[in-house]
Amino acid sequence: SCWDGNGFLPIDVEEGLQDIDVDDLLLGPDGQLWVAHATGLAVYDDHDRRLQPVALPGLESHALVSLANDGEGGLWIGCTKGVAHWRNNQIEQWLEVDGDAMDEVEAVLVDSQSRVWFGTGDGLVLLDADHWRRYRRADGLSHDVVRSLIEDRDGRIWVATLGGVSCFDGDEFITYDID
């Protein structure tokens, strides 16, 4: 649904939504609304008030879970199986990092240094230039299942997990939990 100032306008199958299981929304730098759902990606056409499907060759069998702008006109896409980078109608996909599967990528963050962080069902994964690094509980993360990511004004990465909140200051994790 979309609030138009007076009420909610439904955006569902009749308006072009291919699947009602929507996992993420992203406002692109050009103002376009991107919708990640269980069967693909759609972009909202404000003029027609319809969602238009976006063809993503190679990702047809993956549910799309999370989205982030790459800062260069493209999108990072977290999937149930791996991650993808889509720009200029070209897709690059990673299904594993150092031999470990990249499953359930529930959060994607491009930070102020253009590094890409992925919150997965098996830790926090960082892509810095062409170098991949996975952080897990053994590295100080509060839990291996990561749900959400955000960067604060000081450049620290805050990580919401099933075991609390962790903050990465560039060197180590500080963990906050109920205890």
Side-chain angles (χ1 to χ4, degrees):
S1 295
C2 175
W3 178 260
D4 71 355
N6 297 312
F8 283 99
L9 302 172
I11 299 176
D12 53 27
V13 176
E14 291 179 13
E15 285 74 30
L17 187 60
Q18 299 144 300
D19 193 300
I20 60 171
D21 184 4
V22 174
D23 286 298
D24 203 8
L25 301 172
L26 176 70
L27 194 59
D30 56 2
Q32 286 187 302
L33 176 67
W34 296 91
V35 179
H37 54 83
T39 59
L41 180 68
V43 62
Y44 184 69
D45 183 331
D46 200 33
H47 177 68
D48 292 336
R49 292 190 175 208
R50 294 194 51 80
L51 285 165
Q52 301 298 327
V54 176
L56 296 172
L59 295 182
E60 298 88 357
S61 63
H62 301 286
L64 306 188
V65 181
S66 53
L67 301 170
N69 293 309
D70 72 356
E72 299 175 358
L75 294 175
W76 282 101
I77 304 167
C79 307
T80 52
K81 299 284 184 197
V83 297
H85 185 232
W86 181 66
R87 185 172 50 207
N88 299 325
N89 292 321
Q90 300 292 318
I91 293 178
E92 190 170 3
Q93 187 176 12
W94 296 266
L95 298 176
E96 60 182 43
V97 173
D98 296 329
D100 289 334
M102 285 272 288
D103 290 342
E104 297 300 326
V105 181
E106 293 196 28
V108 182
L109 169 71
V110 178
D111 71 14
S112 58
Q113 297 178 45
S114 297
R115 299 175 300 183
V116 188
W117 300 84
F118 303 97
T120 77
D122 188 24
L124 177 66
V125 176
L126 169 63
L127 173 59
D128 189 356
D130 289 328
H131 178 73
W132 293 86
R133 165 93 196 263
R134 186 183 301 260
Y135 297 94
R136 293 186 172 107
R137 193 170 190 158
D139 300 300
L141 197 60
S142 59
H143 196 281
D144 286 340
V145 177
V146 176
R147 297 284 191 210
S148 184
L149 301 165
I150 193 165
E151 180 182 21
D152 70 17
R153 64 178 170 249
D154 296 323
R156 295 176 296 197
I157 305 301
W158 291 85
V159 185
T161 76
L162 286 183
V165 176
S166 295
C167 178
F168 186 68
D169 65 7
D171 294 316
E172 64 182 347
F173 287 98
I174 300 167
T175 297
Y176 305 89
D177 57 24
I178 300 174
D179 298 332

